Amino acid sequence: MPAPEVPRQRPLYGQFPTALRFSVRDQTRNRLAGLLLVLFVPVWYLVMDALASGETLDFKLYATREVLHVDGGRLTLISAGLNSVTMIAGFVVFDAVRKALAFDRRLVFAGYRQSTLIGAKSLAVALVAAAIALYTALAILFFWRPTAGGWFAVFAGFTVIALTYGALGLVLGVLVKRDLEGFFLIIMGGLMDTFLQNPLGNPLANKPVLQWFPSFGPMQFAAGGAFGHTALWGHLALGLAWAAGLGLLGLLIFRIRTRVRTRSVGRAW
């Protein structure tokens, strides 16, 4: 009996738009995530601003060694935005990737290149993460009006942390077998990560150990631009390194999970 033949690959120019459309569709059809984005973000801002407004906090910029004396409410709005972005971006990508994994295997078997699917997944994650970050950064303007440069720093920090947790959602989507496990890891990871960066709720927020957390770079960049009028590009690059590392890990596992396996058939007995 001859071994099954791997299907012939389709032209690349026709594969990528279709794969991208599927990936974007899967990540934007989650109604719960959309509801969280539209309603939860402003409500979360409102609660955190009411709790922290008026307090003065000391926030350390590690690149310049400068300690900023900032309004606690405004700093908490940044950490609240980072927290919202981590949960929503991670949740959206995890749910979409996990549900589409079997379909992606069928696409590979039907002739789609894995490299094309990987490129489409990466671009879709980037687009969705940027959209989530943009909405979250725009919503902050109802509670605080930073300078144009300060708002851009906040938006850039939100975008990088959205990419990081989108990449984490990709890793969990191809690795974790049940929804509950993935949701728990994303929610608890995001809560611990972002709130430890805020000296309002964490007296150790200015300690060096926090440099090892994914949100450290985006938080430093956002706070530096918004309060210190300093562009800490190295810290933004540190956040991008977290996103790239997690993204490469997730795509590697995705490649392994979707590859077409052929078996050689020996002599029939």
Side-chain angles (χ1 to χ4, degrees):
M1 179 179 178
E5 182 180 346
V6 178
R8 182 177 300 175
Q9 295 178 337
R10 298 179 181 179
L12 180 61
Y13 64 85
Q15 289 183 353
F16 187 81
T18 303
L20 179 61
R21 185 172 67 252
F22 283 142
S23 296
V24 172
R25 183 203 62 183
D26 291 339
Q27 293 181 36
T28 55
R29 68 194 305 179
N30 191 319
R31 295 181 180 178
L32 177 58
L35 189 64
L36 286 174
L37 181 64
V38 173
L39 298 180
F40 172 76
V41 170
V43 171
W44 191 229
Y45 278 151
L46 180 64
V47 171
M48 298 309 295
D49 183 58
L51 291 175
S53 182
E55 294 196 37
T56 301
L57 299 176
D58 295 332
F59 185 83
K60 183 177 180 180
L61 292 179
Y62 281 83
T64 63
R65 302 296 177 184
E66 180 184 2
V67 177
L68 304 176
H69 305 287
V70 302
D71 183 286
R74 294 176 178 178
L75 183 64
T76 301
L77 285 174
I78 295 177
S79 65
L82 289 172
N83 176 245
S84 301
V85 167
T86 60
M87 290 191 293
I88 297 173
F91 172 49
V92 165
V93 178
F94 167 73
D95 185 62
V97 170
R98 184 177 177 276
K99 290 180 178 178
L101 190 59
F103 179 68
D104 289 330
R105 290 197 197 100
R106 292 196 294 270
L107 285 178
V108 173
F109 188 76
Y112 274 75
R113 295 176 176 86
Q114 284 184 301
S115 59
T116 301
L117 293 180
I118 287 173
K121 286 276 188 232
S122 303
L123 183 55
V125 170
L127 291 174
V128 171
I132 293 172
L134 178 60
Y135 176 84
T136 309
L138 288 173
I140 208 172
L141 296 176
F142 289 98
F143 305 90
W144 167 40
R145 292 297 178 92
T147 64
W151 181 85
F152 173 79
V154 171
F155 169 59
F158 286 179
T159 301
V160 170
I161 200 65
L163 290 171
T164 300
Y165 275 79
L168 177 62
L170 174 62
V171 172
L172 296 176
V174 295
L175 198 59
V176 173
K177 294 184 178 180
R178 291 191 292 254
D179 288 342
L180 183 60
E181 299 167 357
F183 295 156
F184 177 81
L185 290 172
I186 291 170
I187 292 172
M188 294 308 298
L191 282 173
M192 292 175 59
D193 184 16
T194 55
F195 275 103
L196 287 177
Q197 306 289 341
N198 189 344
L200 177 68
N202 176 30
L204 302 178
N206 292 318
K207 297 296 182 180
V209 67
L210 295 182
Q211 298 179 70
W212 299 100
F213 286 73
S215 66
F216 172 77
M219 182 69 176
Q220 288 281 308
F221 187 83
F227 304 118
H229 308 292
T230 305
L232 305 177
W233 296 109
H235 286 79
L236 192 68
L238 178 63
L240 287 172
W242 271 99
L246 288 171
L248 288 174
L249 177 61
L251 293 172
L252 176 61
I253 300 173
F254 174 81
R255 184 178 181 87
I256 295 172
R257 295 289 303 273
T258 58
R259 65 184 176 186
V260 175
R261 294 178 175 84
T262 58
R263 60 178 183 177
S264 58
V265 181
R267 183 184 301 175
W269 296 94

